[in-house]
Amino acid sequence: MAKMRSRGTGLPTLAEVAAKAGVSPITASRALRAVPSVDPDLVERVRKAAKLLGYVPNPAARTLASARSRSVMVLIPALTNQLFIEMFEMIEQVLSARGFEALMGHYHYDQAEEERLIRNYLAYQPCGILVTGFGQSEVSARLLADCGLPRIHMMELAETADVASVGFSQEAAGAAVARHLIERGRRHFAFFGAQLDRRLLQRRDGFQRALVEAGFPPALEIMTPEPSSIALGAAQFSALRQTDPGIDAIFFCNDDLAFGASFEALRQGVRVPETIAFVGFNDLPGADQILPRLTSVRTPRAEIGRCAALRLLALIEGEKPADTRLDLGFELIVRDSS
Amino acid sequence: MAKMRSRGTGLPTLAEVAAKAGVSPITASRALRAVPSVDPDLVERVRKAAKLLGYVPNPAARTLASARSRSVMVLIPALTNQLFIEMFEMIEQVLSARGFEALMGHYHYDQAEEERLIRNYLAYQPCGILVTGFGQSEVSARLLADCGLPRIHMMELAETADVASVGFSQEAAGAAVARHLIERGRRHFAFFGAQLDRRLLQRRDGFQRALVEAGFPPALEIMTPEPSSIALGAAQFSALRQTDPGIDAIFFCNDDLAFGASFEALRQGVRVPETIAFVGFNDLPGADQILPRLTSVRTPRAEIGRCAALRLLALIEGEKPADTRLDLGFELIVRDSS
DNA sequence: ACCTCGTAAGACAGCGCTATCTCGCATGTT
DNA sequence: AACATGCGAGATAGCGCTGTCTTACGAGGT
């Protein structure tokens, strides 16, 4: 019995479970993996033995033997944006309900870091990939394509039909904001951007295009590559009031910028929406509480996470993808700030 | 050479690297792990070959062979509190700089979920554990103790010297807030709590004790087990104004509650700090921007993450722990709200 | 009664790596 | 010169599990 010593962690091995159930290790393995060709009675016995011993399969051994883990690589630009947390939590929930795990990595909106992450996580032999958007470096894109793993891009919609994507049209969202502000009688527009990732630029493009199509000059762009934050929004707004007091509507690329600007407006006594209208993006918690309550674009991040995870699991299980593009839309939530 | 086929992911194996460098696999393994007894020239050659081929070690094989991974289990109550994100990012940074990885799990402040997580992650054979606080279930505590892995508790300080901890005194922080409010001439206190985890209760205890010691009656406690949020803070404050208009100082267990209350106060025309003083906790982003700028307790979460990770790595490398308790303190940031 | 066939259970090997033991060689000692 | 010593490099085995092949056995056909 020396061969059946427990693992260092104190967890039992499959062999011990098999011995307890009076079957061979292979049968125990099959029973626990729900391989169909096992006698239901034996399955029951093995299950019971496993539960009794507190058996947890060794994922390292499993991965090594099968050349495939039960983990899904999930790549997220940053953890500091609540947006991605909400998306990720849904992904995790769907995966764990089906016995999969999320191997989550975040790269601070940095392509090089994303590339390192992909390389590292590929070594874990994940069974699928969920990745945010399409802004990868060329090397990253090739790594993702060459590994041949099922993969779904989230938050953005693919331009071609050969890649699966779940998200919404960032451009359409930007355009919707423009139309709303025009409808409210605004004439002098600004766009506030930070971080400057791909999706933000798409929103801006949609916003500008809609303005131009309606006969307005393009909006003033206040852009910075630094991360979006409340303090930054306040500073940007303060600066704008100095340089361009005529602006009567601002579209913020993210709610936190809008929050900061709202605080600054209150401080300076600038009246929102009378003097200037604010529209945020994402409808983060607090948008419905701040003064004035913020008009914002509600993005379906949780639903994106859920659908992307479900579709990925379908691909992993060998299903043929029906639609490769899933547009979950967005919703403009009009509140007091516009 | 059939034995040297690449892995399914397209990544090369150690054997391929070794062949390229003209050494045995075992020497390549040692060279890449920086085992001292290898000729520097060979190390160089192996390194070069590995780089050329884009070699990434297979963590499953490594873990299986050595019965120990390079992963550290990191347990966090929730991802929705920016506090823990900041702590986690520091942990990750320290770990990855030393070639370790974080195996992060969050349990929605739920003991049962935490227990499941521990069991699952133990199967990954991590080399150490970073865990938030001391509020584990008995089973979890036993699992953690029995696995014999180096472990450090974060955010809270241990009561006994046999467990390592890095944090600050939540009680002392609560007491400091009480003293500050008393000093500001406040007389009628309330404590707003949500989530009701251990650390929150410690803060409350410190707050109440300091009030009583100064001769005041204990503060009115507005507590709910639901998660802390901006909307909740607004609702709690609104309710309090109805039931207890005489309260002239509130200590919020987390800044988001204070944010919500600040919005509601603005909406209702309740003057802060003239009519009522607000003190938050954690000094989250935005506390310095909101109206009025919020007095809050700045907690050293990033530093806690950094120190905890460094100390854990020291333990993993076999060092004897000097201090088992590391108190990183806190700072009361007095702003306009009190 | 004989054979085929399908199904359930086991045997076997091996995933990619590292712990451990072994060996060869250069160095130092008397 | 004979021997002990140390050190760098290789050989060997095995981590815990699963893919694949093999075997045992009962059912069904003639």
Side-chain angles (χ1 to χ4, degrees), chain B residues 4 12-25 28-29 32 45-51 53-56:
Chain B
M4 263 169 33
T13 65
L14 181 62
E16 291 176 283
V17 174
K20 182 125 205 156
V23 297
S24 71
S29 167
L32 293 173
R45 247 164 59 204
V46 173
R47 286 254 166 83
K48 206 167 281 176
K51 180 143 211 175
L53 295 174
Y55 174 72
V56 184

Side-chain angles (χ1 to χ4, degrees), chain B residues 117-287:
Chain B
L117 263 177
I118 293 174
R119 224 182 279 278
N120 277 337
Y121 282 2
L122 242 25
Y124 282 91
Q125 309 193 155
C127 54
I129 300 173
L130 290 173
V131 48
T132 304
F134 290 95
Q136 293 77 34
S137 71
E138 279 197 32
V139 179
S140 293
R142 179 161 6 272
L143 281 171
L144 291 177
D146 289 356
C147 68
L149 257 33
R151 175 183 46 169
I152 291 182
H153 292 254
M154 303 178 294
M155 299 299 296
E156 250 176 87
L157 295 173
E159 281 161 16
T160 56
D162 57 335
V163 236
S165 56
V166 175
F168 62 95
S169 167
Q170 305 270 347
E171 283 211 39
V177 172
R179 285 194 300 271
H180 165 70
L181 288 170
I182 291 169
E183 195 180 281
R184 284 290 199 257
R186 305 295 157 164
R187 292 295 173 264
H188 305 284
F189 305 92
F191 176 85
F192 276 35
Q195 198 72 70
L196 308 190
D197 66 292
R198 241 179 89 101
R199 290 172 294 288
L200 174 145
L201 298 177
Q202 292 168 354
R203 295 199 281 278
R204 180 205 53 186
D205 292 348
F207 183 66
Q208 296 286 31
R209 186 162 314 150
L211 289 180
V212 171
E213 276 170 12
F216 292 92
L220 177 67
E221 296 185 4
I222 312 284
M223 312 259 275
T224 164
E226 63 184 297
S228 165
S229 74
I230 294 174
L232 178 64
Q236 283 182 326
F237 179 68
S238 186
L240 179 86
R241 290 296 300 171
Q242 297 283 323
T243 57
D244 300 86
I247 296 291
D248 63 5
I250 306 178
F251 175 27
F252 297 89
C253 73
N254 199 16
D255 276 356
D256 48 9
L257 290 181
F259 293 166
S262 299
F263 295 145
E264 188 61 31
L266 235 41
R267 237 174 264 132
Q268 297 193 6
V270 178
R271 304 187 61 192
V272 180
E274 291 81 356
T275 305
I276 188 164
F278 284 175
V279 176
F281 200 84
N282 281 327
D283 194 30
L284 296 181

Side-chain angles (χ1 to χ4, degrees), chain A residues 9 56-60 64 80 82 89 92 101 106 108 122-125 234 263 266-267 289-291 293, chain B residues 9 56-60 64 80 82 89 92 101 106 108 122-125 234 263 266-267 289-291 293:
Chain A
T9 49
V56 184
N58 181 333
L64 190 58
T80 44
Q82 197 57 30
E89 291 220 342
E92 251 193 333
E101 301 212 344
H106 58 116
H108 307 96
L122 242 25
Y124 282 90
Q125 309 193 155
F263 295 145
L266 236 40
R267 237 175 262 130
Q289 294 292 332
I290 198 169
L291 252 75
R293 298 183 197 268
Chain B
T9 51
V56 184
N58 181 333
L64 190 58
T80 44
Q82 197 57 31
E89 290 220 342
E92 252 192 334
E101 301 211 346
H106 59 114
H108 307 96
L122 242 25
Y124 282 91
Q125 309 193 155
F263 295 145
L266 235 41
R267 237 174 264 132
Q289 294 291 334
I290 198 170
L291 252 76
R293 299 186 196 265

Side-chain angles (χ1 to χ4, degrees), chain B residues 73-120:
Chain B
M73 181 187 334
V74 183
L75 296 178
I76 282 174
L79 256 26
T80 44
N81 194 337
Q82 197 57 31
L83 175 71
F84 297 118
I85 301 285
E86 291 176 34
M87 183 174 77
F88 175 64
E89 290 220 342
M90 267 316 235
I91 291 170
E92 252 192 334
Q93 195 178 311
V94 171
L95 291 182
S96 78
R98 302 271 292 268
F100 289 78
E101 301 211 346
L103 191 64
M104 191 266 282
H106 59 114
Y107 46 88
H108 307 96
Y109 283 100
D110 181 284
Q111 282 193 335
E113 203 174 330
E114 184 179 22
E115 204 173 301
R116 272 208 313 282
L117 263 177
I118 293 174
R119 224 182 279 278
N120 277 337

Side-chain angles (χ1 to χ4, degrees), chain A:
Chain A
M1 287 286 139
K3 297 205 74 178
M4 261 169 33
R5 220 175 37 258
S6 294
R7 288 185 263 162
T9 49
L11 292 173
T13 66
L14 181 63
E16 291 176 281
V17 174
K20 183 123 203 156
V23 299
S24 72
I26 278 298
T27 302
S29 167
R30 288 198 270 245
L32 293 173
R33 279 179 297 148
V35 173
S37 70
V38 183
D39 187 318
D41 291 354
L42 287 189
V43 171
E44 185 55 28
R45 248 167 57 207
V46 172
R47 285 256 166 80
K48 205 167 279 179
K51 181 145 209 175
L52 204 73
L53 294 173
Y55 174 73
V56 184
N58 181 333
R62 186 170 260 195
T63 302
L64 190 58
S66 66
R68 189 103 310 167
S69 72
R70 302 277 291 175
S71 313
V72 168
M73 182 187 332
V74 182
L75 296 178
I76 282 173
L79 256 26
T80 44
N81 195 337
Q82 197 57 30
L83 176 71
F84 298 117
I85 300 287
E86 290 175 34
M87 183 175 77
F88 175 65
E89 291 220 342
M90 267 317 239
I91 292 171
E92 251 193 333
Q93 195 178 310
V94 171
L95 292 181
S96 77
R98 302 270 292 268
F100 289 79
E101 301 212 344
L103 191 63
M104 190 266 282
H106 58 116
Y107 46 86
H108 307 96
Y109 283 100
D110 181 284
Q111 282 193 335
E113 204 175 330
E114 184 179 23
E115 205 173 301
R116 273 208 314 282
L117 263 177
I118 294 174
R119 225 183 276 279
N120 277 337
Y121 283 1
L122 242 25
Y124 282 90
Q125 309 193 155
C127 54
I129 299 174
L130 290 173
V131 50
T132 305
F134 289 95
Q136 292 77 33
S137 71
E138 280 197 31
V139 178
S140 294
R142 179 161 6 271
L143 281 170
L144 292 178
D146 289 356
C147 67
L149 258 38
R151 173 177 35 127
I152 291 181
H153 292 253
M154 304 177 293
M155 300 297 296
E156 251 175 87
L157 295 173
E159 281 160 18
T160 56
D162 58 334
V163 237
S165 56
V166 176
F168 62 95
S169 166
Q170 304 271 345
E171 282 209 40
V177 172
R179 285 194 299 272
H180 165 70
L181 288 171
I182 291 168
E183 195 179 283
R184 283 289 198 258
R186 304 298 157 161
R187 290 298 172 263
H188 305 284
F189 306 92
F191 176 85
F192 275 35
Q195 198 73 70
L196 309 190
D197 64 293
R198 240 178 90 100
R199 290 171 294 288
L200 174 144
L201 298 177
Q202 292 168 354
R203 295 199 281 277
R204 179 206 53 186
D205 291 348
F207 184 65
Q208 297 284 31
R209 187 163 313 151
L211 289 180
V212 171
E213 277 170 11
F216 292 92
L220 176 66
E221 297 184 3
I222 311 284
M223 311 258 276
T224 163
E226 62 184 300
S228 165
S229 74
I230 294 174
L232 177 64
Q236 283 182 327
F237 178 69
S238 186
L240 179 87
R241 289 296 300 172
Q242 296 283 323
T243 56
D244 300 86
I247 296 292
D248 63 4
I250 305 179
F251 176 27
F252 297 90
C253 72
N254 198 16
D255 277 355
D256 48 10
L257 290 181
F259 293 165
S262 299
F263 295 145
E264 188 61 30
L266 236 40
R267 237 175 262 130
Q268 296 192 7
V270 178
R271 303 186 62 191
V272 180
E274 292 80 357
T275 305
I276 187 164
F278 285 175
V279 177
F281 200 84
N282 281 328
D283 194 30
L284 296 181
D288 60 339
Q289 294 292 332
I290 198 169
L291 252 75
R293 298 183 197 268
L294 182 69
T295 294
S296 193
V297 176
R298 181 173 296 164
T299 52
R301 59 262 191 182
E303 195 58 14
I304 290 174
R306 205 178 67 84
C307 293
L310 285 172
R311 290 191 160 213
L312 185 73
L313 289 178
L315 289 179
I316 290 171
E317 256 125 55
E319 276 178 44
K320 275 280 144 289
D323 283 326
T324 59
R325 257 168 79 118
L326 179 59
D327 186 348
L328 259 21
F330 57 86
E331 191 184 355
L332 181 69
I333 308 289
V334 179
R335 298 201 183 90
D336 306 338
S337 71
S338 60

